[in-house]
Amino acid sequence: MEDDKLEEEEGAIEYVSYGGEHHLPLIMNLVDQELSEPYSIFTYRYFVYLWPNLSFLAFHKGKCIGTVVCKMGEHRNTFRGYIAMLVVLKPYRGKGIATELVTRSIKVMMESGCEEVTLEAEVTNNGALALYGRLGFVRAKRLFRYYLNGVDAFRLKLLFPRPELSSGRFIIENEDMPQESERHQ
């Protein structure tokens, strides 16, 4: 019954950009509740202070129900976006909220000149893997015992089309494969 009410009130979901220190406890509470990794306040501040335009929150009737926290910067001669944290409270999952949060961040990253976006997800997190798969991310690498709980992770990548490519298809680069210069040595 509660799920039906939320679907009837789709417009009731409000998405906002990170707006300052008053949003920080909301983000921290969501992440601490739902993600397997503990983070210090310094980790949160690193992301939201340096890239406030890449963090978004979702509210339903004044309650913070979801967030995405990201960054961007140079990585191996590439300008890369990175999704550090994505959380939607369990009762609100499956309603497109995570997709909207991630899509907003990706749009800003693309407009800012990022060539790709990466993240890590637990290999056991089928919901996250399905979400990112629908958004075009591919599994680039498996990271063994990546998380503190001993679970492996997949590094996922979304590559944006380069302007000089007319086909409009994403280029997939597997980090496990040797680079062209390495293959011929």
Side-chain angles (χ1 to χ4, degrees), residues 115 160-168 171:
E115 299 166 56
F160 301 136
R162 295 183 187 158
E164 69 270 13
L165 297 178
S166 59
S167 69
I171 310 259

Side-chain angles (χ1 to χ4, degrees), residues 69-138:
V69 176
C70 307
K71 72 172 191 162
M72 60 186 169
E74 289 291 328
H75 179 81
R76 294 185 183 174
N77 300 319
T78 300
F79 194 58
R80 171 189 273 187
Y82 178 74
I83 300 172
M85 303 166 209
L86 172 66
V87 176
V88 174
L89 292 176
K90 283 186 178 99
Y92 298 91
R93 292 181 188 167
K95 303 180 186 325
I97 297 166
T99 300
E100 181 65 25
L101 289 166
V102 170
T103 301
R104 285 172 182 249
S105 293
I106 290 172
K107 183 176 185 268
V108 174
M109 291 179 210
M110 186 180 268
E111 290 170 353
S112 299
C114 287
E115 299 166 56
E116 64 185 25
V117 178
T118 65
L119 63 106
E120 291 82 30
E122 289 186 5
V123 298
T124 57
N125 191 339
N126 295 326
L129 295 172
L131 163 74
Y132 290 116
R134 285 190 302 274
L135 291 173
F137 284 79
V138 296

Side-chain angles (χ1 to χ4, degrees), residues 30-39 84-87 125:
L30 284 173
V31 172
D32 290 346
Q33 275 184 59
E34 300 290 334
L35 296 186
S36 61
E37 294 291 285
Y39 297 104
M85 303 166 209
L86 172 66
V87 176
N125 191 339

Side-chain angles (χ1 to χ4, degrees), residues 27-75:
I27 292 171
M28 291 174 61
N29 185 45
L30 284 173
V31 172
D32 290 346
Q33 275 184 59
E34 300 290 334
L35 296 186
S36 61
E37 294 291 285
Y39 297 104
S40 76
I41 191 164
F42 304 109
T43 301
Y44 294 104
R45 284 190 171 136
Y46 167 74
F47 286 102
V48 299
Y49 285 8
L50 293 175
W51 300 278
N53 60 325
L54 295 178
S55 294
F56 294 91
L57 297 93
F59 291 88
H60 181 249
K61 296 183 178 179
K63 176 183 178 183
C64 187
I65 59 161
T67 189
V68 65
V69 176
C70 307
K71 72 172 191 162
M72 60 186 169
E74 289 291 328
H75 179 81

